[in-house]
Structures are given as C-alpha cells and as structure tokens.
Amino acid sequence: METASEGQKVATGEVARGFRKRDAFATGLGVLTATLGSAVGLGNIWKFPAMTGQNGGAAFIIVYLFCTLLVGLPVMMSEHMLGRRARKDAINTMRDLAPRRQPWWLIGAAGGLAAFLIMAFYSEVAGWVFAYVFKAASGSILSTDPATNSASFGALVSDPWQALLWQWIVLIWVGAIIMMGVSKGIERVTKKLLPLLFVLLIAVCVRSLTLDGAGEGIKFLFNPDFSKVTGPVVLAAMGLAFFKLSVGMGTMITYGSYFKEDQNIPATATKVMLADLTVSILAGLAIFPAVFALGFDVAAGPSLLFEIIPAVFASMPGGDFFVIIFFLLTAIAATGAMISIVEVPVAFLTEQFRLSRQTATLLTLGLLALVGAPAALSFSELSETSIFGKTFFDLYDYASSNILLPVGGLFICIFIGWVWGFDNVKRALSNDGALNNQGIVALFFTVVKYITPLLVLLVLLDGLNIL
Ligand code: PFF
C-alpha cells in the first residue's frame, strides 16, 4: 500500500522505497513523451514498411490494427499498472506482486532475454541509420535509381568492419545517455525532437504522394487482399504490434514504475497507441507511393527504407539538406527506443545486485556487443550461416517478436485477469477511485482476462504451425 507521504514524494519526482531512491518522471508530459519515445522508433520507420511490403500491404495493416487494439493496448495498460504498483524493475515487480512461491518473475526474466535479442539486431539497424546520416551529409546517397540505391546500401551492410563499427558507435551512444539517469536523460532527448520527426515525415508524404504513378502505392496501402493472410502472416502482424508498443518484455513495467500516482493509465496508453499508429501510417504513406512511382521492389524488406527515402528526397527541393535531417531524427527516435530496451536489464541489475548505474550499463552494453556481432555480420561474413533456416539477424528478430513478446504478453494477461484480479485492477486504473472510469475498467478487465489471452494463444499456435 502507498502511504500518503510516499504519494507526495512521487508527485515531487522521487520515491523512497526500501533501501534506494527511485527516479520518477517529473511531469505528466514527461511520462507521455518518454513512453512514446520508447514506442516510436525503427519499428515505425523501418520495420512497419518492410513488413507491410513483404506481406502484401493493406490486409496486413488491417490485421496489425486489430492486434494493436486487442492485444498491444491491453498489455501496455497491464504493464503500466504492475510497474506503478510495485515500483521495481520487471523481474522484481512480478516477484513482489505474485503470491508467494509462484514463479511469475519468469515473465520478467524472459523479457530480459527478449531485450537482449531485440537490442542485438536493433542496434545494427540503428547503426545503418547513423551511417546514413553521414552518407547523407557527404551528399552520396541522393538518387532515384533503384540499382544505385540498392548498391549503396549493399556496400554498407556487406562490409563486416563497417557493420561492426556502426553497431559499436550506437551502443556507446546509448550507454552514455543511460548513464545520465532516467528523468534527465530520457525526457530531455525525447521531448523536443519527436514533433520535428512528425513534421518532416508529413513533408515526405506530400512529396511521395504527388509523384507520378503514386496511385498504385495508395492502392497497395488501402486495398486489402485477404488471400495473403496466412497463419504466419497473422503471427508476424501480432509480433509487430508487441514490438511497436514495446510490450511483452517488461519495458512498460519498468516505465510504469516511474509513473506518478495520479497518471491516468488508460488515457496515457491510448494516446501512445494512437500517436504510434499515426507515425507508422505516415511512414507507409511516405514510402509506398514512391516505391511504385519510381519502380522499386516493394518486397525489399530491411533495405526498403534506405533505398526509398533517398529517392524521395532526390526528387524534392532542398532534398540534400532534408535527407540529413530525416536520418538524424530517425536516429534520435531509434535512440529513445533503445534506451527503453537497455533500461530493462540495467534496472534489474541495479536493483537486484545493487550495482551502480554505470557498472550495470557497461556490463549490459559489453554483453550486447558480443551478442550483437553475429547480427551485424549477418549480411557479410555470416550471411551463409543459418539456424532454423534463418540468419542470426532474422533469428533474433523472429525469436523476440514472434515468440518471446507474445508469450510474455500472454502470461501478463493471465496474471492480471486470473491472479491479480478485478479489485486490484479497479484500484490501479481508477487511481484508487480518483478517476470516474468504471466502464473502462470493466471493459478492460473482460478483454484482458478472456479475449487477449485467447487471441494470443491461437495466433501463436497457428503461426508456429502447432495447431
Ligand atoms: N517500439 C520500438 C520501435 O517500434 O522501434 C522497439 C522496441 C522498444 C521494442 C522497446 C521493444 C521494447 F521493449
């Protein structure tokens, strides 16, 4: 139970709990922007278009929307509630809130593993983005020719030293920010720059949509062909919904642990979901009309962003300047997301083993350099090495998004619906009765207890060909 004085400390930005003081987000806006900072990232700008292109367009987007609403949003609210109640890292939150001797902390542990796997490939893609900032600044990427752009991207990713170097630069950069601490580091970076990215994306959309032949791209985005929707495609869409909202692995538990007591959780999570969706759709509108207008390969996957964006800017006044800003803002969005991923193991190591933030961060990033290297080399030295038919890069992505996050989300829902129970949910979502939102509470509880877990289970079993 929170005492009144603890509640007051939260409101002033700090919580004293047990043996150590925890940072709390200083303002409501800080909570929203930091949570958004975690959600908005390469998932919107790189992964969403890549997967939409590979999985047939509109029908995939519709399935993805359903998954976001019925799975991503309820799991996000659940994680926020749990984190705020326990005010601990993900593993210790689950351990504290679970009945004695029930191993729910395993959810947090699986989340730690997912965090590692995601960071291992995410840091590589972020490395490509960082490299493109410099390539753009040297004026070497502006071309509308598919072959030129594909060769330019290929030259970067197939050079093992460049791939490793850019990944290390990203890891060092993220480490430096994390060591500055939660409220100072995260809030400061994300608060100012997300709106700028939003504005620039709109400008790219306008150019892309006004290219000759853009209509095919719009059809691709809005004319669904459901024959393409198979079990694995639905699983991919659901995995993307988890990945996009940063849920299923304890990130949002950790962020919830920094929430203020009077933060309106349903409103915050809904706003984050809507803003995140908007950025993804904008990225789609920026990319697909140009793909068709300029004759690129819609199913290019990981290279799509890096081939198309320079092409759109090449056909835009001031493009040589704005393309630099675009990749810079993308790098910053990726940074917000990476900070939240690395925060999961760092929070655990500091609280469980009482390591200093510095030591925990260094340890995590050192390990990531090791685990990440095979992902970085998946397009060069290790391109022929496959495990379960996948390169390390693809395997990390598949195992985290399509298995660990959904399984984590499934158990979080089961915990909330069947163990924690209605009374706790009611208190958490209504801020101990301060909010008048009984309808939302009842709807949420039914969804999280029955609908979400059933959906996740069915999609998992079907997508993994177990059913
Ligand atoms: N949501 C981020 C993105 O879409 O780029 C990626 C991410 C961040 C996934 C944090 C998971 C996570 F815990």
Side-chain angles (χ1 to χ4, degrees), residues 78-163:
S78 303
E79 290 197 23
H80 285 164
M81 282 191 283
L82 296 173
R84 185 173 65 179
R85 175 60 63 82
R87 299 213 174 275
K88 297 255 168 75
D89 64 274
I91 295 183
N92 282 308
T93 289
M94 295 314 296
R95 190 178 276 145
D96 271 19
L97 299 183
R100 267 161 63 88
R101 280 206 272 280
Q102 290 187 12
W104 290 97
W105 58 270
L106 282 170
I107 295 176
L113 179 62
F116 260 91
L117 295 184
I118 290 178
M119 236 346 242
F121 75 89
Y122 203 96
S123 56
E124 180 55 23
V125 183
W128 301 337
V129 174
F130 278 41
Y132 262 63
V133 174
F134 287 89
K135 274 172 170 266
S138 69
S140 64
I141 55 169
L142 279 199
S143 147
T144 50
D145 175 39
T148 310
N149 291 9
S150 151
S152 165
F153 178 71
L156 169 69
V157 302
S158 62
D159 177 341
W161 281 111
Q162 279 209 60

Side-chain angles (χ1 to χ4, degrees), residues 38-39 41-44 118 122 243-244 246 249 251 337 340-341:
S38 167
L42 296 174
N44 310 66
I118 290 178
Y122 203 96
F243 184 90
K244 273 299 328 107
S246 317
M249 57 177 253
T251 303
S340 72
I341 304 174

Side-chain angles (χ1 to χ4, degrees), residues 413-434:
C413 292
I414 295 177
F415 180 79
I416 291 275
W418 299 86
V419 179
W420 219 43
F422 185 74
D423 286 343
N424 276 314
V425 167
K426 192 167 127 199
R427 280 183 43 213
L429 286 188
S430 69
N431 296 349
D432 274 326

